[in-house]
Amino acid sequence: MAMINVNRGATSLGIFSEEDIRAGLSTGRFALTDLGWREGMTSWQTLAQFPEFAEAVGITTPAAGATYAPGSVIPTSPVARNGLPWENRQQLGLVKAFTDTLVMVLTKPVEAFQQMRTEGGFSEPLFYGVIGGSVGFIVYLLITLAFGSLGMMGGRNNPLGAMFGAGIGMIFLIILAPILVAVSMFIGAGIIHLCLMLVGGAKRSFETTFRVVCFASGSAQTLLIVPFCGGFISGVWGLIAECIGLARAHETETGRAVLAVLLPVIICCGGGFLCAMMFGFMGAMSSHH
């Protein structure tokens, strides 16, 4: 049986067996927020994330030998939401908590949003979203301007370079980046939550939707650093992560979550198409007269 290293913050508590840790959790010697690691693990996790300590966080399974009629609902306790690494950054540290959350959301979104807390305030997810979104946007801006100056992205016809090619304009945009990202998070979450309510998928409050949008967008927008195709990859993966996150956090059907995320896009595209048709019709009428 592999022994488990236990840390509390930056302090090592020692190496213990599963039985010792389980007993320590029941007596208060250990806390569920203490960090554990054993051979074969890629990163430290809170003790609450270890499956063998599931009973300590109130997760139960059907009793042995119990039988249920076909089609009946098997009683289970709700999965404990122990928080993303970012929500446990006091133990992990700022940089590690951010990178672990980023990797988890981008590579294991289902697990990430099953683990994310649905409540706990707006500041934590907003802080994460602003960091990820600002870094991605600023690097994207610098790459665009650099390639534009080399003539690889339109040269003089590059609108971004034309608008912000001057040093003052670039500095101004960099300074405003965190504010723009934060405002976009609130507006985007508000629109998505409204759409989720319209399709009947909002099982929790706006705070839950906001947390999903911040962690999904803040992670996906870091992909803007990929030259040329970063914007496309970031946009697509951001939509996918939001769909998965809404379904898991609100505990609703995936179809409702997808519809809530895509509904604003459909409305915008439909509105743009109607406007183009209207202006085309008006132009045709003017030419006729």
Side-chain angles (χ1 to χ4, degrees):
M1 180 181 298
M3 302 294 284
I4 300 175
N5 295 267
V6 181
N7 279 14
R8 181 168 295 165
T11 304
S12 174
L13 300 182
I15 303 176
F16 307 91
S17 65
E18 293 181 9
E19 290 75 10
D20 290 338
I21 295 176
R22 190 175 291 106
L25 287 170
S26 62
T27 60
R29 180 185 180 185
F30 300 121
L32 293 175
T33 54
D34 290 340
L35 300 176
W37 179 89
R38 63 185 167 193
E39 187 177 355
M41 294 177 58
T42 58
S43 63
W44 290 76
Q45 294 182 347
T46 61
L47 295 181
Q49 295 175 259
F50 282 71
E52 52 268 48
F53 306 134
E55 69 276 7
V57 293
I59 302 176
T60 60
T61 56
T67 58
Y68 301 94
S72 62
V73 178
I74 301 176
T76 58
S77 298
V79 176
R81 293 184 175 274
N82 305 308
L84 293 166
W86 180 256
E87 298 172 283
N88 297 299
R89 64 184 181 279
Q90 289 79 9
Q91 292 82 22
L92 297 172
L94 185 67
V95 176
K96 180 172 176 56
F98 180 84
T99 55
D100 285 356
T101 301
L102 177 66
V103 172
M104 191 175 188
V105 172
L106 293 180
T107 61
K108 301 177 181 178
V110 174
E111 179 182 340
F113 289 109
Q114 284 178 337
Q115 187 171 314
M116 184 199 76
R117 298 190 183 106
T118 57
E119 296 178 349
F122 293 85
S123 58
E124 281 193 349
L126 180 61
F127 187 23
Y128 177 88
V130 167
I131 292 177
S134 298
V135 170
F137 178 71
I138 291 172
V139 173
Y140 172 77
L141 173 64
L142 296 175
I143 292 175
T144 302
L145 292 177
F147 284 130
S149 65
L150 296 175
M152 299 176 64
M153 298 185 72
R156 296 180 180 179
N157 296 324
N158 180 12
L160 188 61
M163 292 176 62
F164 303 107
I168 297 178
M170 180 177 174
I171 295 174
F172 182 72
L173 193 60
I174 290 176
I175 293 174
L176 284 182
I179 299 176
L180 295 175
V181 171
V183 172
S184 68
M185 296 276 181
F186 276 103
I187 295 176
I191 294 174
I192 290 176
H193 189 71
L194 176 61
C195 293
L196 195 62
M197 293 174 63
L198 292 176
V199 300
K203 309 298 183 183
R204 300 182 185 273
S205 65
F206 167 73
E207 180 184 346
T208 300
T209 302
F210 180 77
R211 296 174 74 86
V212 170
V213 170
C214 286
F215 285 117
S217 299
S219 300
Q221 287 176 7
T222 60
L223 298 175
L224 288 170
I225 65 176
V226 180
F228 302 108
C229 61
F232 175 77
I233 297 174
S234 173
V236 172
W237 193 246
L239 292 176
I240 294 174
E242 287 178 354
C243 291
I244 296 173
L246 291 175
R248 296 300 182 272
H250 281 272
E251 297 178 359
T252 187
E253 295 86 351
T254 303
R256 294 181 189 272
V258 172
L259 184 58
V261 172
L262 296 183
L263 191 57
V265 179
I266 295 172
I267 293 175
C268 290
C269 292
F273 178 75
L274 290 176
C275 288
M277 291 283 291
M278 181 180 67
F279 284 117
F281 177 76
M282 292 174 62
M285 292 296 293
S286 298
S287 299
H288 176 71
H289 288 297

